[in-house]
Amino acid sequence: MTTAITVAWEDHADLVVVGGGVAGLTAARAAFRRGVRVLTVSKGGPADTATQYAQGGIAVVAPVGDSVDAHVADTLAAGGGLCDEDAVRSIVTAGPDAVTALRDLGAVFDTAGDGDIARTREGGHSTRRIIHAGGDATGAEVQRALGEAGLPVLFGAAAARVLTDARGVTGLLVLDERGFGVVHTPAVLLATGGLGQLYACSTNPPGATADGIALALAAGAGVADLEFVQFHPTVLFAEGGTGRRPLISEAVRGEGARLVDSRGRSITDGVHPLGDLAPRDVVSRAIAERLTELGEDHVHLDARHLDGFATRFPTITAMCAEAGLDPARDLLPVAPAAHYSCGGVVTDVHGRTRIPGLYAAGEVARTGLHGANRLASNSLLEGLVLGERAGVAAAIERAGTRVETDGIPAVAATVCDRAVLQQLMTRHALVVRDADELSAAAVELDGASVATPCADADRLEDAALTVTARALLLAAQRRTESRGCHTRSDHPDTDPAQARSLELRIDDDGELSFTTPELTGVN
């Protein structure tokens, strides 16, 4: 085998899953049950996933007082005209069966006084359909149940390159403590999570460095809707705080907590009929506008009147205690922070990309479910449904395929220092953007980036963040309107002519380019 780098080890699998959260572990189980050899690689440990930190719950149609049509309608309303309605209906309809399968695996959800699963309400939902575990530790319970399935996971292993030839996927280049290795496989499923580390402050774990976006682009797949980054409106604020910041679940507002400014005025009165339970883009934008008006850096969440807070929200209570706060006594300082990528690798509702053998599921994928803004708690739902479907599709479609990988290129990329990149994205591409700010970010990014070999995990992550930042800025500059969680102060209105997704790929010259025409004036 001719290589441009030294390969220290080799392995073989029928499917390699990249990522150990809800989508990745669900996919691995689905494929394993169909008799294929699955290897899951995860650059972190078993608890280093966004799934682990998910508080709110899983949005799934309730058996009484709810319907698929209602859940679809809520999702479409939140998505700002960019959801794929067929995809939404397909995923929402599969929700109850996905939850049943998770319970069969051993996941335990909170119950109400009558013994049925307890449900709460979150922003953008017309009814109480959010199921939860451990009060506010749903993600941890999902991670536990899936992690105890006992499938092999190669921890501390970073995916460096999806290897392809004219037929599709042939392998995955992996970097671990042994050095670079190749897993020969006809199928790779990306379940790498989000891109929160583009920003100085995020709810995402440190490993949310857009790896899957970069891997898919390098393999020839398309990405779309990257300009739609959801900023969670109620992240615990700390002066000078950076890195992963704890969020205060939307379910707290679902139980009656109120958002107020430093003068005690409501943040959302008169802004939206749902008030503090409006979709997240509406609430985050309202907070940003109030902070600009007052020249301040945070607002407050008032939960002092809620009975039984510590019992209903034990994780949040403990988190606040670490910050010297008591929700029963104190106003909680909060501000928006990067939370969830509504876009990602373009797939169908079975996780297939345009590259044979390359699949994606979970936050890294753009299925059409979220559109311009994710409806609260649809993320774990999507991870369960798409993880199962993508795992099944990979097992069926690539079963028996034998591949050989030949000619592995050196891993080199353009890289910007992470601290520099995070600061420029935080300054110029936050909740509210404009043309000048976005252009300034792109210029600074180009000026600070250098071409370099990527021979360690940190460099691979920085390269992924750099190419993803470029793609996000390009899309945000082209979308000259405000829609969902993309707000342009210089284009405050929604333009019906721009009700379509922007897809980017890497062209033959190695540059990011749009596969769609200019939006303005499109019929």
Side-chain angles (χ1 to χ4, degrees), residues 339-423:
H339 181 54
Y340 194 89
S341 173
C342 298
V345 183
V346 177
T347 75
D348 65 10
V349 293
H350 293 273
R352 305 181 187 96
T353 73
R354 66 185 294 266
I355 307 300
L358 182 63
Y359 304 81
E363 186 173 356
V364 72
R366 183 270 183 195
T367 61
L369 174 65
H370 306 307
N373 185 40
R374 177 176 70 96
L375 182 66
S377 288
N378 268 358
S379 52
L380 290 177
L381 167 71
E382 184 182 39
L384 290 168
V385 173
L386 263 292
E388 174 74 19
R389 290 179 177 178
V392 170
I396 292 174
E397 294 166 3
R398 308 301 285 181
T401 304
R402 290 293 175 262
V403 294
E404 289 299 329
T405 302
D406 186 29
I408 301 172
V411 181
T414 302
V415 176
C416 181
D417 176 79
R418 188 176 312 191
V420 172
L421 182 148
Q422 289 175 336
Q423 288 301 319

Side-chain angles (χ1 to χ4, degrees), residues 439-504:
S439 177
V443 170
E444 289 187 44
L445 182 62
D446 286 340
S449 300
V450 295
T452 180
C454 296
D456 61 68
D458 287 344
R459 215 61 175 159
L460 287 171
E461 289 183 338
D462 289 351
L465 287 170
T466 302
V467 70
T468 303
R470 281 207 170 97
L472 190 158
L473 292 170
L474 279 172
Q477 287 174 296
R478 176 168 283 199
R479 186 170 292 283
T480 52
E481 64 163 351
S482 291
R483 182 185 295 271
C485 51
H486 169 72
T487 300
R488 288 279 298 264
S489 60
D490 51 345
H491 295 282
D493 297 324
T494 298
D495 178 3
Q498 299 190 43
R500 58 184 300 178
S501 294
L502 294 171
E503 182 174 343
L504 283 157

Side-chain angles (χ1 to χ4, degrees), residues 289-297:
E289 291 172 353
R290 186 65 57 86
L291 293 179
T292 298
E293 173 194 330
L294 297 177
E296 297 174 351
D297 51 17

Side-chain angles (χ1 to χ4, degrees), residues 274-295:
L274 293 176
D276 287 345
L277 286 177
R280 288 175 177 173
D281 65 305
V282 175
V283 180
S284 289
R285 190 161 49 247
I287 292 173
E289 291 172 353
R290 186 65 57 86
L291 293 179
T292 298
E293 173 194 330
L294 297 177

Side-chain angles (χ1 to χ4, degrees), residues 196-206 235-247 335-338 418-424 426-427 430:
Q197 293 304 315
L198 283 175
Y199 294 89
C201 185
S202 167
T203 66
N204 292 187
V235 174
L236 194 64
F237 175 82
E239 187 70 37
T242 59
R244 191 187 77 82
R245 298 294 304 157
L247 66 82
R418 188 176 312 191
V420 172
L421 182 148
Q422 289 175 336
Q423 288 301 319
L424 71 89
T426 300
R427 286 198 311 271
L430 213 59

Side-chain angles (χ1 to χ4, degrees), residues 47-67:
D48 295 331
T49 69
T51 299
Q52 178 73 25
Y53 295 106
Q55 293 177 354
I58 304 172
V60 61
V61 174
V64 178
D66 197 7
S67 67

Side-chain angles (χ1 to χ4, degrees), residues 30-361:
F32 177 79
R33 292 198 308 270
R34 280 151 185 80
V36 303
R37 182 185 176 193
V38 182
L39 175 63
T40 300
V41 299
S42 176
K43 66 181 182 181
D48 295 331
T49 69
T51 299
Q52 178 73 25
Y53 295 106
Q55 293 177 354
I58 304 172
V60 61
V61 174
V64 178
D66 197 7
S67 67
V68 168
D69 285 344
H71 192 170
V72 169
D74 290 346
T75 301
L76 295 177
L82 285 193
C83 296
D84 179 329
E85 185 171 353
D86 290 340
V88 173
R89 185 169 297 279
S90 173
I91 294 168
V92 165
T93 301
D97 287 345
V99 170
T100 296
L102 190 61
R103 296 182 74 190
D104 290 344
L105 194 61
V108 178
F109 293 97
D110 298 335
T111 55
D114 59 5
D116 290 338
I117 292 181
R119 296 174 187 267
T120 191
R121 184 181 173 194
E122 293 182 347
H125 289 273
S126 57
T127 190
R128 298 173 71 94
R129 65 166 65 96
I130 314 300
I131 66 173
H132 46 84
D136 54 2
T138 309
E141 176 61 10
V142 171
Q143 188 78 36
R144 180 202 65 78
L146 291 170
E148 290 180 358
L151 296 179
V153 180
L154 182 62
F155 292 111
R161 181 74 59 86
V162 176
L163 305 173
T164 62
D165 64 14
R167 300 166 296 169
V169 170
T170 63
L172 184 71
L173 184 65
V174 177
L175 178 63
D176 67 7
E177 61 183 5
R178 297 168 291 178
F180 280 108
V182 175
V183 183
H184 302 277
T185 179
V188 170
L189 193 153
L190 302 174
T192 54
L195 44 71
Q197 293 304 315
L198 283 175
Y199 294 89
C201 185
S202 167
T203 66
N204 292 187
T209 52
D211 305 343
I213 300 294
L215 290 167
L217 283 169
V223 300
D225 295 341
L226 292 186
E227 66 271 35
F228 300 109
V229 178
Q230 185 181 87
F231 292 84
H232 198 288
T234 53
V235 174
L236 194 64
F237 175 82
E239 187 70 37
T242 59
R244 191 187 77 82
R245 298 294 304 157
L247 66 82
I248 299 178
S249 170
E250 203 138 359
V252 175
R253 280 173 283 140
E255 297 297 337
R258 297 177 61 249
L259 279 165
V260 296
D261 64 18
S262 59
R263 302 176 185 178
R265 299 178 301 172
S266 169
I267 299 296
T268 59
D269 276 358
V271 173
H272 191 280
L274 293 176
D276 287 345
L277 286 177
R280 288 175 177 173
D281 65 305
V282 175
V283 180
S284 289
R285 190 161 49 247
I287 292 173
E289 291 172 353
R290 186 65 57 86
L291 293 179
T292 298
E293 173 194 330
L294 297 177
E296 297 174 351
D297 51 17
H298 68 279
V299 297
H300 296 93
L301 187 66
D302 187 358
R304 295 173 297 180
H305 58 288
L306 301 185
D307 294 329
F309 188 100
T311 300
R312 173 64 179 86
F313 301 107
T315 303
I316 295 172
T317 300
M319 173 192 77
C320 290
E322 290 181 4
L325 298 166
D326 179 359
R329 185 186 68 240
D330 301 315
L331 291 170
L332 304 179
V334 295
H339 181 54
Y340 194 89
S341 173
C342 298
V345 183
V346 177
T347 75
D348 65 10
V349 293
H350 293 273
R352 305 181 187 96
T353 73
R354 66 185 294 266
I355 307 300
L358 182 63
Y359 304 81

